[in-house]
Structure formats: structure tokens, C-alpha cells
Amino acid sequence: MEKAFSFFLLILLLLLHYVMACSAMTKTNITTDQLALLSLKSQIISDPSHFLDESWSPAISVCHWVGVTCGSRHQRVKSLNLSNMALIGRIPRELGNLSFLVSLDLGSNNFHGNFPQEMACLRRLKFIDLSVNNFSGKVPSLFGLLHHLQVLNLGNNSFTGSIPCSFSNISTLETLNLKFNSIEGQIPKVIGSLLKLRVLNLRGNNLTGSIPLSLSNASRLETLDISFNSLQGNIPEGIGNLHNINWLVIQANQITGPIPFTIFNNSRIEVIAFARNSLSGTLPNGLCNGLPKLKGLYLSTNKLRGHIPTSLSNCSQLQILSLPENEFDGPIHSEIGRLSNLQILGLRNNHFTGTFHLMHTITIVSYYFRILFYQH
């Protein structure tokens, strides 16, 4: 109870701080928007294609500037898209004056420094893409105050610190992408309260702790990628109950224990990637009975054992089967030869016995010598 109260108090103080900051900023008309954008232009030290030099001029209506879209009703700046322009610079606090802004895309540039707290004033924002830049500092908790946000993409930056618990306040959030930063700490349990979340990508950070069971509450999840971290513990059984998931990637962590069999009963899943962990146990006999759309199964470099299930032939869409560096044994069943879409087969460094007979399947024979010992 005391912990919950402290969290509530922290959120309240942050909210008061940002309300006061936003109240101090002027929001009047299109001239305010123009001044905000000119302030951004003044912070850009390199514009190699001269997009802003030639277009962003007070002599031209701001609604006709490159990358700027105005709303038809209020004639205020509604969208700012400066992606892929090779711009170098910082984000000024004045950008928080774009009070009608709904979409902000600065992706694939070289913006750097901290993200100004005044951006919390942009309460209409639904889409933010700051990916592939060099923003630094802690992941801004201010995003938790943007209650209409649907897409938040901070991938491929230099953000540090932990994932703010304030993100749980964004009940409209559908995409949260924090991949390839230097984020530490645990995956907050409150992330599971984002019931509209469809994409959660935390790949390539320094996350520790276990996979929170609460993620199984995010029933609309379609993509879950938490690979290349330092996560430990088991895969929660509830992950198998995410019936909308089609991309489940937990590679290169320190996950132990068996794979929950519930995961193999998901009719929408296309990729299961658990390679480079310490998973143990066996595969279910009915492995592919409930996976009609499976295209990639990546289980290499674990401690999995037992036979390859004959039901594997029911994964008719399977293109990649990667099982190297495990403890599988027994025969390699000829049923694998029925996988007419199979392109890559990796089996090396296991304990298989017998002879591998696929001669009745022309598609597989054409790949036989090239891919039999492929490791992924």
C-alpha cells in the first residue's frame, strides 16, 4: 500500500510540474507554430540537402514548409515529418508550443541530447518516432502524460535508465519500441496493463530480471521481442495465452526451464525464436498440430532433448527449422520431407541416430547438402 501511494504521489508531482510548465508557454495561433519551428531550425547545425534552408522561411506560409502538415479546420501545425533528412541538431523546448501537433516523426537523423520536458505539453500527440538518432539521458517519463499516444518509437538511440512505470498511464498505446538502447532494470509489471498494446519491442538492451507474468494480460499483443537482454527465469505459462501473437522472440537471454506447451497451440503464430538460452525439456508430441501458420522455429543453442516429433510435418508453412546445439536424439523422421516450403534446416551438434531419408521429396533434396548442417 505504501509503495502504491509513493508511486501515485510521484505521478502527481510530475503532473503538477508539467502543468505549470505548459501553462507558462504561449499557445495562440499559427505564428506561435512558426516561431516554434524556426527555433528548431536554429538548433539544426547540419542540413546537407538544404531541405529547411530553402523552405522554412517566414516569407512562406508555415503550412507550405517541407515536412509540415496543417489541419484543415484550425490551420495549425498537425504533423511534423523530418525523417530521413540526415539532420544534425537538438530539440528546443519551444517545440512544446506546437499544441495542435498529432504526429511527430524525426526518425533516421542525428538529433542528440536530452528530450526537453516541455514536450509533455503536446497533449494531442498520437504518433512519436524518434528512432535511429542519438538521443541520450534517461527514457523520458513525460511520455506517460500523453494520454492519446498510440505509437512511441524510441528505438536505436542512446537512452539509459529504466522503463518508466508512468508508461502504464498511456491506455491508448499500441506500439512501444525501445529496441537497441542502453536501458537497464526490469520490465515493469505495469506494462501488462496496456490492454491495447500490439507491438512490444525491447530488443538489444540491458534488461534483467524475469519476464513478467502480467504480459499475458496484454491480450492484443501481436509482436513480442525481448531478445538480446539478460533476462532470467522461466517463460511464463500465460505467454501461451496471447492468442493474437504472431511474432514471439526471446532469443539470447538466460532463460531456463521448459517451453510452455501452450505456446504450440497458437493458430496465428508465425515465428517462435528462443535460440541462445538455457531452455530444457522436450518438445510436445503434437508440436505442429496447432501451428498452421508457423514459418520459423528457432531453438538452437539450448539444452532441449528428446526426439523430434513426427507431427512436425503438419507445419506446412515452415520455411526455417533451426535446432543446432541441443541434446536431441533419436531418428530424423522422413516426415520432415513433407515440408514443401522448407528452405533452411539446421540440425548439427545433436545426438541424432540412423539415416536421414528425404529422397522422396524433390524440394528438400535440392537443398539437402547445402542446408543440412546450417546453424542459426
Side-chain angles (χ1 to χ4, degrees), residues 297-298 300 319-325 343-350 367-376:
L297 181 61
Y298 302 86
S300 65
Q319 298 174 9
I320 299 174
L321 176 61
S322 178
L323 305 178
E325 305 288 345
Q343 299 175 17
I344 294 176
L345 175 61
L347 300 174
R348 77 176 190 186
N349 289 353
N350 280 282
Y367 287 99
Y368 179 80
F369 292 106
R370 181 161 65 89
I371 68 175
L372 177 57
F373 298 111
Y374 174 89
Q375 179 178 359
H376 192 290

Side-chain angles (χ1 to χ4, degrees), residues 26-296:
T26 305
K27 304 181 185 69
T28 53
N29 52 34
I30 192 65
T31 303
T32 307
D33 293 352
Q34 183 187 73
L35 292 173
L37 293 176
L38 288 175
S39 179
L40 173 61
K41 180 181 178 180
S42 71
Q43 293 296 312
I44 293 175
I45 60 175
S46 178
D47 176 13
S49 298
H50 304 288
F51 288 118
L52 309 189
D53 288 344
E54 297 174 0
S55 168
W56 286 28
S57 167
I60 305 172
S61 169
V62 67
C63 295
H64 296 136
W65 289 5
V66 168
V68 175
T69 302
C70 292
S72 57
R73 181 180 176 186
H74 297 288
Q75 284 297 299
R76 299 290 299 274
V77 175
K78 181 180 180 180
S79 172
L80 180 61
N81 186 349
L82 303 180
S83 61
N84 296 289
M85 291 187 177
L87 302 174
I88 300 176
R90 291 176 175 267
I91 307 301
R93 59 186 295 272
E94 288 81 4
L95 206 65
N97 283 329
L98 297 176
S99 54
F100 280 75
L101 198 65
V102 174
S103 177
L104 175 64
D105 190 348
L106 304 178
S108 299
N109 285 289
N110 193 12
F111 285 104
H112 54 275
N114 294 337
F115 202 68
Q117 64 183 20
E118 287 78 11
M119 301 300 284
C121 301
L122 304 179
R123 300 297 172 82
R124 289 181 169 87
L125 271 176
K126 294 182 179 180
F127 179 94
I128 299 177
D129 189 344
L130 307 178
S131 62
V132 196
N133 279 282
N134 197 27
F135 287 108
S136 57
K138 293 185 176 180
V139 179
S141 59
L142 64 88
F143 293 121
L145 301 174
L146 303 177
H147 299 302
H148 297 289
L149 204 57
Q150 296 174 2
V151 175
L152 178 57
N153 187 352
L154 307 180
N156 298 82
N157 277 283
S158 299
F159 285 115
T160 59
S162 58
I163 301 172
C165 289
S166 62
F167 283 10
S168 64
N169 297 325
I170 318 174
S171 60
T172 55
L173 198 62
E174 297 179 7
T175 296
L176 177 58
N177 187 346
L178 304 177
K179 70 176 182 178
F180 295 119
N181 280 279
S182 297
I183 300 170
E184 301 174 339
Q186 300 187 15
I187 301 174
K189 295 179 181 178
V190 292
I191 293 293
S193 66
L194 299 174
L195 300 183
K196 293 187 177 181
L197 199 63
R198 296 180 184 276
V199 176
L200 178 60
N201 194 334
L202 306 177
R203 182 185 185 95
N205 282 284
N206 302 314
L207 295 170
T208 56
S210 59
I211 302 171
L213 178 60
S214 61
L215 278 182
S216 61
N217 296 328
S219 59
R220 296 190 184 183
L221 262 182
E222 297 173 3
T223 296
L224 176 61
D225 189 344
I226 51 178
S227 56
F228 294 93
N229 282 285
S230 298
L231 298 171
Q232 299 177 331
N234 295 349
I235 300 174
E237 190 80 23
I239 295 294
N241 297 325
L242 296 173
H243 297 302
N244 289 304
I245 203 85
N246 53 46
W247 189 274
L248 181 57
V249 185
I250 312 180
Q251 298 191 122
N253 280 282
Q254 300 164 24
I255 305 298
T256 56
I259 301 173
F261 284 3
T262 52
I263 289 172
F264 300 115
N265 289 319
N266 193 320
S267 61
R268 297 190 181 185
I269 203 161
E270 296 182 10
V271 172
I272 298 174
F274 297 157
R276 296 175 60 187
N277 281 287
S278 295
L279 294 168
S280 57
T282 61
L283 298 179
N285 290 329
L287 173 63
C288 284
N289 293 342
L291 300 172
K293 295 185 178 181
L294 189 68
K295 295 180 180 178

